[in-house]
Amino acid sequence: MVLPMNWAKEFADLTCSAKEMADRLTMTGSKVECYENAADGVENVVIGRIESIVPHPDSDHMVICQVEVGQSAPLQIVTGAANLKVGDLVPVALDGSKLPGGVEIKKGVLRGVESCGMLCSLSELGLTVHDFPYAIENGILVLDGRDYPDGMPAPGTPAVEALGMDDVVFEFEITPNRPDCLAVRELGREAAATFGVPFKDHTPVVKPGHGNVNDLLKVDIENSELCMRYCGAVVENVRVAPSPKWMRDRLRACGVRPINNLVDITNYVMLEYGQPMHCFDHKYVNGQHIHVRNAKPGEHIVTLDGVDRPLSEEMLVIADDAGPIGVAGVMGGEYSGTYESTTTVVFESAMFYGPSIRTTAKKLGLQTEASAKYSKGLDPNTCAPALARALELVQLLDAGDVVDGVVDIYPAPRTENRVPLRPEVINRLLGTSLSRQEMVDILLPLGFRLEGDVVVCPTLRNDVKRDCDLAEEVARYVGYNMMPSTLMKGVAEARPTPRQSFDEKLTRTLAGYGLWECENFSFYSAKCFDQINLPANDPLRNAVVISNPLGEDTSIMRTTALPSVMDVVARNFSARAAECAVFEQATEYLPSALADEVADNDFNDYPALCKKLAAEGKTPSDLLPTEVQKLILAAYGPQWDYLAMKGAVEGLLATAGIKDFTAKRNAEGTAFHPGRAADLFVNGEKVGTVGEVHPTVCANYGVKARVVAADLNLDKLFELRGGEPQFAPLPKHPATSRDLALVADETAAAADLAGCIKANAGENLESLTLFDVYTGEKVGEGKKSLAYNLVFRAADRTLTDAEVDEAIDRVLKALGEMGVTLRS
């Protein structure tokens, strides 16, 4: 739905900017999708008056015009147009002006004569002959006095203002519960209420005409469930002509092409009231009798677009005594329009059942503006006012002579909803403390009435039926951003559990390290076990089989999540991503031994199974697999190697509050590379594995890059987590540093040496860092040199050299027992 600002100002005195209007209307529930100024593509174009015209000395078809544009002297402009005469008012693009499509006009020379601008045609301004019917399509646009009853624009007037292009058009997203806002009039009401100004409503007034409509038209509704109301009126002696400029401007701003006064009136009223209308030639109504009925078997109709369409019995049609002349709410028939020979027309304003219209339009493949509006569910009480407005415009535009009276068939009138006004309920729902009067002051400008303590809702607002609906109306005009934040009454306060907070903290840590979280299905194919080199006798192959899988590739519940994450890595590699680093908080499903026992004994009698389990103190839920929460990391790229992944895992452990852990070489050689992987232990319990993925596994997934991964047990990490970080003041005393270059067997693990150092250095050891590893002839065959930096510090005093030396001696003695010596 669109709303031109100039049209909205007819219903409310608006002085705001376009941005403010869009923002305020959005905040009160009328969401503005976008807005644009129709004149944005036109700059520095003014109205000019032709002062003189002389032939071009070097051209047979060009002329030289002197044009008054409100400046100190007329401009000289060369043109090839043949439809100009002295005194004409035309749009003039000055030097440096811009036209739609990005065209820029510059001063130039045409056949030796200077031209200081350009006279504009319709197309050059983005207009058509429908916008200015009297204009020549391929000539210069010459303004006509009929469009300016209050006087022609003066030379120098901006063209966008003179041509009615200076309007801002807002595009709204109308929600399904607000079909009333499919009308410019109701959006104007919303704007008036939003800005706190009076709504300037207009009640149509039809002057007395002649004759009696009942002598010319009869209407019968044969299916009142699909046609709730039908209003008809007759206009004789029609005078088809172009619509006035103000109407053409508004239609153009709404994206509707002006055609002639009769058609434009129906389109104008449809936009203004949201009520689709139709006018058709009276002489093509056989018997002067309209029947609103369902189509009969075998009937068909040629619609206005010239297509012969078969009709089915559930479709509602507008028929005369001879047969269908229109598809109700969708499109008229071949002879249901107006023609040059038309002298008498029938104006139709009816209300049809929305779902039926939608179904009919879909079956016929014929979506129209009318069918779209009817499908939303409109108000039958709008039919009569909309018809009155159309007849008022007929008289205003002198488009014909209105016949007195209206045919109005309305079997079951829609009544107004009545909702008790209970301020205490509304305040409880909103968490506010508004007074009754404050609520009344909000509801009255929206069209509601108050009768005692009952709010009478207009039939346009059929969506307001309960206290909560009134509360919503109050809330959107109080302003959601102005309402206090309160908890729902009677509902327990929700807070994340310690486990949820723990998992979220780890997720943020990994995201900070540059890894992206992914989510995969909890099921896959048994082929995944072969892809990760899982041994044939590995217990993880004993997976839960899904009884109704989507396919073979999703037939079992996963017992290890590494294949899921490797699939993500493989997709990124196949897409030629230079780097990929992902993680998943995954659930693994490990079958219970009890389930295996039941499967082996083939228990088909469920009651007998429950009885057996109860005897053992168990329930059927004990048959369900054990769910283990894992954290799987995988990465490849220039920044990701074993040390980088190990560093990310160490940072993760630090986030979990785990300070002391040990790493032992993993030499299994299954999913991870033997010798390039390590198992991680905390307090003697294994919490995961980190290392390089086995080259065979990478090949199985088509990944030619080196992939590093980590498989961590989240349940164990949570169980072994440390406490909340405690503040530690900056040390007051200096530290003492020592470097130890140690020689050990080449097979010795650096972590074992580090553990020995920490165990014997004493409580004053602040940090231990391995900073060099060397192998070569200087340390002997089968040996390697490891250099550690030890930092000692005491919290209450400065350590003496003797204290540090004593600690070093203890360390060296313990290392000596492991066959480790100082490097000479």
Side-chain angles (χ1 to χ4, degrees), residues 500-550:
Q500 289 172 330
S501 299
F502 179 78
D503 291 349
E504 178 63 23
K505 185 162 59 173
L506 297 189
T507 297
R508 290 198 302 267
T509 299
L510 291 175
Y513 288 149
L515 287 89
W516 294 83
E517 185 173 12
C518 61
E519 292 186 13
N520 295 288
F521 290 124
S522 295
F523 35 79
Y524 48 44
S525 168
K527 296 177 183 178
C528 293
F529 298 141
D530 295 329
Q531 287 183 290
I532 62 169
N533 290 347
L534 201 65
N537 59 349
D538 195 296
L540 293 180
R541 285 184 176 268
N542 181 26
V544 176
V545 178
I546 300 174
S547 59
N548 56 341
L550 299 175

Side-chain angles (χ1 to χ4, degrees), residues 98-285:
K98 292 183 179 179
L99 301 177
V103 177
E104 189 169 351
I105 304 301
K106 294 288 187 182
K107 182 188 299 185
V109 176
L110 295 176
R111 300 253 182 124
V113 176
E114 183 182 46
S115 182
C116 299
M118 184 182 78
L119 307 184
C120 300
S121 65
L122 285 170
S123 59
E124 287 163 340
L125 294 170
L127 303 171
T128 69
V129 290
H130 295 286
D131 302 311
F132 290 88
Y134 52 77
I136 299 174
E137 187 168 9
N138 297 318
I140 300 301
L141 171 58
V142 179
L143 304 190
D144 193 304
R146 288 171 291 183
D147 277 351
Y148 303 93
D150 297 329
M152 299 290 281
T157 303
V160 293
E161 177 185 325
L163 301 178
M165 299 170 64
D166 58 335
D167 201 354
V168 178
V169 179
F170 300 86
E171 184 171 343
F172 290 83
E173 177 190 329
I174 304 301
T175 52
N177 66 316
R178 294 298 305 274
D180 58 299
C181 286
L182 295 172
V184 168
R185 179 171 174 263
E186 294 308 312
L187 285 176
R189 188 192 302 273
E190 291 286 324
T194 296
F195 288 93
V197 298
F199 174 60
K200 298 187 292 185
D201 200 3
H202 169 71
T203 301
V205 176
V206 182
K207 300 174 183 177
H210 67 280
N212 189 326
V213 69
N214 294 306
D215 297 334
L216 299 173
L217 184 66
K218 183 180 179 182
V219 177
D220 286 325
I221 298 178
E222 298 179 15
N223 188 338
S224 60
E225 291 184 359
L226 299 187
C227 178
M228 289 81 83
R229 188 177 190 181
Y230 191 101
C231 298
V234 176
V235 176
E236 294 183 322
N237 305 319
V238 299
R239 295 174 283 278
V240 179
S243 299
K245 182 175 178 297
W246 63 267
M247 180 176 284
R248 300 198 311 268
D249 288 345
R250 290 181 177 178
L251 292 175
R252 182 178 70 245
C254 292
V256 177
R257 186 182 69 180
I259 298 176
N260 60 51
N261 49 7
L262 290 178
V263 177
D264 291 352
I265 285 172
T266 61
N267 286 333
Y268 187 88
V269 173
M270 180 177 69
L271 292 169
E272 186 175 32
Y273 280 78
Q275 170 64 41
M277 296 193 65
H278 185 54
C279 69
F280 48 90
D281 197 322
H282 178 266
K283 68 172 173 284
Y284 290 111
V285 181

Side-chain angles (χ1 to χ4, degrees), residues 621-654:
S621 62
D622 293 315
L623 298 174
L624 298 176
T626 301
E627 297 185 15
V628 180
Q629 298 297 317
K630 289 292 194 72
L631 187 59
I632 312 296
L633 291 66
Y636 71 82
Q639 298 183 19
W640 289 97
D641 55 13
Y642 169 76
L643 293 178
M645 180 59 73
K646 181 172 177 288
V649 171
E650 289 176 347
L652 199 67
L653 295 176

Side-chain angles (χ1 to χ4, degrees), residues 622-697:
D622 293 315
L623 298 174
L624 298 176
T626 301
E627 297 185 15
V628 180
Q629 298 297 317
K630 289 292 194 72
L631 187 59
I632 312 296
L633 291 66
Y636 71 82
Q639 298 183 19
W640 289 97
D641 55 13
Y642 169 76
L643 293 178
M645 180 59 73
K646 181 172 177 288
V649 171
E650 289 176 347
L652 199 67
L653 295 176
T655 300
I658 299 174
K659 298 180 180 179
D660 296 320
F661 67 92
T662 57
K664 295 183 180 180
R665 179 179 298 172
N666 180 311
E668 294 178 0
T670 54
F672 287 93
H673 193 300
R676 294 182 183 173
D679 293 329
L680 304 177
F681 295 85
V682 178
N683 296 341
E685 290 192 65
K686 182 179 177 181
V687 297
T689 303
V690 59
E692 187 175 316
V693 176
H694 199 290
T696 304
V697 175

Side-chain angles (χ1 to χ4, degrees), residues 320-394:
D320 58 16
D321 289 344
I325 60 174
V327 182
V330 181
M331 183 178 281
E334 183 179 17
Y335 298 107
S336 67
T338 56
Y339 309 91
E340 292 183 359
S341 60
T342 298
T343 58
T344 302
V345 297
V346 176
F347 277 88
E348 169 194 280
S349 177
M351 186 55 56
F352 306 110
Y353 183 54
S356 172
I357 299 303
R358 186 178 185 276
T359 301
T360 298
K362 188 174 182 180
K363 284 188 175 182
L364 295 178
L366 193 62
Q367 297 292 335
T368 62
E369 183 71 20
S371 68
K373 287 185 179 294
Y374 279 125
S375 297
K376 302 294 190 299
L378 304 178
D379 177 19
N381 289 336
T382 306
C383 293
L387 181 60
R389 176 61 167 157
L391 298 178
E392 179 186 51
L393 289 172
V394 167

Side-chain angles (χ1 to χ4, degrees), residues 515-599:
L515 287 89
W516 294 83
E517 185 173 12
C518 61
E519 292 186 13
N520 295 288
F521 290 124
S522 295
F523 35 79
Y524 48 44
S525 168
K527 296 177 183 178
C528 293
F529 298 141
D530 295 329
Q531 287 183 290
I532 62 169
N533 290 347
L534 201 65
N537 59 349
D538 195 296
L540 293 180
R541 285 184 176 268
N542 181 26
V544 176
V545 178
I546 300 174
S547 59
N548 56 341
L550 299 175
E552 193 279 331
D553 289 340
T554 55
S555 58
I556 63 173
M557 302 299 292
R558 63 184 177 188
T559 55
T560 170
L562 184 60
S564 301
V565 178
M566 283 301 297
D567 279 332
V568 176
V569 171
R571 281 197 297 273
N572 278 271
F573 185 83
S574 65
R576 299 184 180 182
E579 180 179 293
C580 173
V582 295
F583 72 95
E584 179 181 6
Q585 288 193 23
T587 303
E588 297 177 349
Y589 301 84
L590 307 179
S592 66
L594 181 60
D596 292 339
E597 178 187 338
V598 171

